[in-house]
Amino acid sequence: MTPAINLLKKNKCDYKVHKYDHDPENTNFGLEAAEKLNLNEKQVFKTLLVELSPKELAVAIIPVSNQLSLKEIASALKSKKAIMANKDEAQKVTGYLLGGISPLGQKKRLRTVLDKSANDFETIFVSGGKRGLDIEVKPKDLIKLLNACYYKVTAQ
């Protein structure tokens, strides 16, 4: 069990675990999950950490096929600017390894934005807390558990 799965269990949320064999040579973790699980790339979401000014980390959950708009995430979180977080800092703060960072069960609760395209699906797939493990969850459960907000944070 990962902290992400434990959080879902504790809160009695519906979820499904999906495992696949992660290729250590593949560094495009989200697209690999979509491909190996035979899923629509727009339904598989990646967890990205950004640093807002001044020195605050936040989470963006976006489709693996999209790029994060730093301008939009800054706007969503009412910050002047955002940059991608340092990978070592992201791993330290979340307690997860890069490529397996789940939005759920992180060591520290960070402000979180879920791209509003998640509403296009009854369920979406997010990392389960390690490479080769995705969790299928309802977007509304993510919003509730993470005290997150919906916002369009992907680039055009």
Side-chain angles (χ1 to χ4, degrees):
M1 289 296 138
T2 65
I5 293 171
N6 290 338
L7 181 66
L8 289 164
K9 271 187 176 176
K10 179 181 164 192
N11 287 277
K12 297 178 174 50
C13 294
D14 289 333
Y15 68 94
K16 288 182 190 158
V17 174
H18 299 268
K19 295 180 182 180
Y20 60 92
D21 290 325
H22 166 64
D23 175 0
E25 301 294 312
N26 193 334
T27 56
N28 201 329
F29 307 106
L31 289 174
E32 179 190 29
E35 185 180 295
K36 292 204 172 167
L37 296 172
N38 198 27
L39 299 168
N40 178 343
E41 292 175 3
K42 292 180 181 342
Q43 193 175 3
V44 180
F45 283 63
K46 57 188 169 185
T47 306
L48 302 174
L49 268 74
V50 296
E51 184 180 320
L52 306 171
S53 53
K55 283 280 191 196
E56 176 194 358
L57 292 182
V59 176
I61 308 167
I62 69 168
V64 299
S65 57
N66 292 29
Q67 294 284 325
L68 177 65
S69 167
L70 293 171
K71 182 179 174 183
E72 293 299 334
I73 188 76
S75 176
L77 296 170
K78 297 176 182 20
S79 179
K80 287 185 180 179
K81 75 176 211 176
I83 60 171
M84 293 305 296
N86 171 286
K87 78 172 194 164
D88 294 331
E89 184 71 11
Q91 292 179 138
K92 180 180 159 190
V93 169
T94 63
Y96 293 119
L97 282 178
L98 205 64
I101 295 178
S102 178
L104 298 160
Q106 296 181 359
K107 278 187 187 176
K108 184 177 177 186
R109 172 74 63 92
L110 301 173
R111 290 199 294 159
T112 302
V113 176
L114 175 59
D115 190 74
K116 69 180 186 178
S117 66
N119 282 320
D120 296 344
F121 304 98
E122 188 175 324
T123 60
I124 61 170
F125 295 76
V126 297
S127 175
K130 62 184 183 179
R131 297 171 185 169
L133 181 71
D134 265 37
I135 303 172
E136 183 178 359
V137 294
K138 293 177 182 163
K140 68 177 184 171
D141 287 339
L142 277 181
I143 290 289
K144 185 175 142 195
L145 287 174
L146 301 172
N147 195 24
C149 65
Y150 286 112
Y151 203 90
K152 181 166 180 13
V153 290
T154 54
Q156 296 295 343

